[in-house]
Amino acid sequence: MKKIISNIMGELILTYQENGYQEVLDTFTESDYINIATFNINSFISNSYLIHGLREIDVSTPVTLILNVPEGDYYHRRINYILMLLERERFGNLNVYFNFSNHAKLIMTNKIAYIGSQNFSDASRNNYELGILVRELEQVQKIESEIFEELKNNSVLYSTSEYNVRMEELSSLLNGSIKGIRQQIFTVYGDGYPVPEQEILDIHQAYFDKNNWRKFEELYANFEEVINEIIDGYQEVLDQEAIQSYMNELNLSITQFISELEELSNFSIFQEESMMWEKFYENDTGDNLDYHMEKAVNVVREIKEEEFHQLEDLTDILISLFDSIEEQIQNVMDRIYEIREEMISRTLLFNETIIRNRQ
């Protein structure tokens, strides 16, 4: 196999005791993506300048790392350290691939590319290294699409630990949704000091959309499904009694929560005008229109005031439910955190098996 890209123009750089791709590193925080292909990384240096640099990149920036695992002394320990070092929970949007035939070195963003002899490794600063920097954007895009993609397509994806995947999944399922519903229903008054912040149910501003909590019910069903999968997969190490207790409490709270929301949505300020005309037509006899209109307005006002008082009575109940649901979700997440090391350990073993089988 041979890939050729003609007429690539750049600057030839010879370095010693510094990085030939420093200009590429300088663009990391302002780039759309970061791609790195390297034969080796520093696998035994916890304060690696380059690794810490990757951890500081915004989580929205995808980082793709293609790595070989050189054989040698302490090979087994090296593999495990690399796997733990590159565990995704330590980074933002990091995706790691292993390619056991790779000896190429390519460090690039959508702005600039380095091609040369230097690994993405702090130790390589101590060597004489030779490379080329390519700045022309069209050529950078060709390197990305024709060279880096070729390497990636012939590599095996590192499996992020189940703990990290599951926690991201669970967190996204419920937390954002419950906060969104809360913000739509309640108005926050007070500036914290000297007036304490408090949530007020204001019928003129509260927004009741049944689709929102129906969607929340669906998300909770997915949440339960993921929890049950974790329980089934980690029966021997998970405190099943505790997590099941929290799930039962959460289930009861959500059932009551949905019921209270149904009550709150029975009357809304947006129904007032249509209700007024309905009462007017019920009583209108064709004479004394002003009297019948005023009567209709008063009837609707009375209904509104009665409903609003009921809403006020439910305010504390609903706030308490919001708080308890958030607390119970956190309790469930805490139980899963207790088996974090086991979940990561199993994934490391899985990745090590892949690496050994591909060598």
Side-chain angles (χ1 to χ4, degrees):
M1 186 278 290
K2 182 186 290 187
K3 282 273 185 180
I4 299 176
I5 303 178
S6 303
N7 302 318
I8 294 295
M9 304 294 292
E11 298 173 3
L12 191 64
I13 298 180
L14 176 67
T15 56
Y16 177 63
Q17 294 188 338
E18 60 182 290
N19 288 318
Y21 45 76
Q22 184 60 50
E23 285 190 53
V24 184
L25 299 178
D26 293 340
T27 69
F28 273 11
T29 57
E30 56 188 36
S31 297
D32 295 338
Y33 64 81
I34 298 165
N35 291 337
I36 300 167
T38 183
F39 173 68
N40 193 13
I41 62 171
N42 282 99
S43 55
F44 296 100
I45 299 180
S46 60
N47 61 344
S48 166
Y49 164 75
L50 296 173
I51 295 299
H52 280 288
L54 290 180
R55 292 178 184 170
E56 294 173 1
I57 295 166
D58 189 271
V59 294
S60 64
T61 305
V63 180
T64 304
L65 173 62
I66 299 174
L67 175 69
N68 203 332
V69 184
E71 293 196 47
D73 294 338
Y74 308 109
Y75 177 70
H76 177 82
R77 190 181 303 173
R78 180 189 296 268
I79 290 174
N80 279 278
Y81 188 90
I82 288 174
L83 293 173
M84 288 187 289
L85 180 70
L86 299 177
E87 178 56 43
R88 188 168 178 170
E89 68 171 353
R90 302 170 184 264
F91 300 89
N93 188 6
L94 175 67
N95 300 282
V96 180
Y97 291 79
F98 290 107
N99 186 312
F100 306 109
S101 300
N102 180 60
H103 201 262
K105 291 88 177 179
L106 169 60
I107 297 96
M108 67 177 301
T109 68
N110 58 299
K111 300 174 181 292
I112 188 171
Y114 169 88
I115 307 166
S117 62
Q118 190 171 11
N119 282 304
F120 193 76
S121 161
D122 297 81
S124 66
R125 290 165 55 96
N126 300 324
N127 304 325
Y128 280 99
E129 303 283 358
L130 186 63
I132 183 172
L133 276 177
V134 180
R135 292 189 175 85
E136 208 283 317
L137 293 183
E138 186 175 345
Q139 295 181 358
V140 170
Q141 291 173 3
K142 282 186 177 181
I143 293 169
E144 198 275 335
S145 61
E146 298 184 31
I147 302 298
F148 191 83
E149 284 299 312
E150 175 72 21
L151 290 171
K152 188 175 79 171
N153 291 337
N154 287 281
S155 304
V156 56
L157 179 63
Y158 162 76
S159 179
T160 302
S161 75
E162 186 178 7
Y163 167 78
N164 197 51
V165 172
R166 290 305 198 184
M167 292 299 267
E168 287 181 358
E169 188 177 6
L170 292 172
S171 180
S172 65
L173 280 173
L174 292 185
N175 287 338
S177 179
I178 193 75
K179 289 176 182 176
I181 295 174
R182 188 168 191 157
Q183 290 170 356
Q184 289 176 340
I185 293 176
F186 291 106
T187 302
V188 177
Y189 285 100
D191 56 8
Y193 181 84
V195 181
E197 284 191 359
Q198 57 181 322
E199 291 173 304
I200 304 295
L201 187 58
D202 184 344
I203 195 171
H204 295 281
Q205 298 188 47
Y207 179 65
F208 305 107
D209 185 350
K210 290 188 178 182
N211 290 330
N212 286 343
W213 55 85
R214 292 298 176 224
K215 178 64 175 176
F216 180 72
E217 283 186 301
E218 294 175 13
L219 292 174
Y220 176 65
N222 294 333
F223 184 88
E224 277 191 308
E225 184 177 340
V226 174
I227 293 297
N228 288 332
E229 289 174 359
I230 294 173
I231 291 174
D232 291 342
Y234 293 87
Q235 294 182 22
E236 70 279 13
V237 293
L238 187 64
D239 186 345
Q240 295 185 63
E241 185 175 340
I243 198 169
Q244 198 60 62
S245 174
Y246 286 128
M247 288 300 293
N248 291 340
E249 291 177 12
L250 183 57
N251 203 352
L252 289 172
S253 295
I254 289 178
T255 300
Q256 186 181 357
F257 171 70
I258 299 299
S259 175
E260 300 293 357
L261 288 176
E262 293 283 3
E263 290 288 329
L264 290 171
S265 66
N266 285 338
F267 184 87
S268 169
I269 189 64
F270 302 112
Q271 297 171 317
E272 185 174 357
E273 185 172 353
S274 62
M275 186 182 295
M276 179 189 68
W277 284 110
E278 181 182 336
K279 297 298 180 184
F280 172 75
Y281 291 129
E282 283 180 7
N283 298 296
D284 179 31
T285 58
D287 58 341
N288 202 346
L289 296 179
D290 289 342
Y291 169 77
H292 291 296
M293 177 59 72
E294 185 177 354
K295 184 177 180 180
V297 170
N298 289 334
V299 169
V300 172
R301 184 181 296 119
E302 290 174 2
I303 294 173
K304 175 184 170 184
E305 289 178 354
E306 180 182 351
E307 292 287 343
F308 185 62
H309 286 311
Q310 291 181 12
L311 298 185
E312 289 181 317
D313 293 339
L314 290 172
T315 299
D316 290 341
I317 295 174
L318 195 59
I319 289 176
S320 176
L321 282 171
F322 273 113
D323 291 340
S324 66
I325 288 172
E326 290 176 351
E327 180 182 352
Q328 288 153 12
I329 290 172
Q330 188 58 52
N331 287 337
V332 172
M333 304 286 267
D334 289 345
R335 296 291 77 74
I336 298 173
Y337 180 79
E338 291 174 0
I339 64 167
R340 169 182 176 274
E341 295 303 325
E342 175 67 20
M343 297 179 84
I344 291 177
S345 177
R346 289 190 186 183
T347 311
L348 292 178
L349 181 60
F350 173 74
N351 281 288
E352 183 179 343
T353 302
I354 290 177
I355 292 173
R356 289 188 176 281
N357 289 341
R358 289 298 188 100
Q359 286 289 71

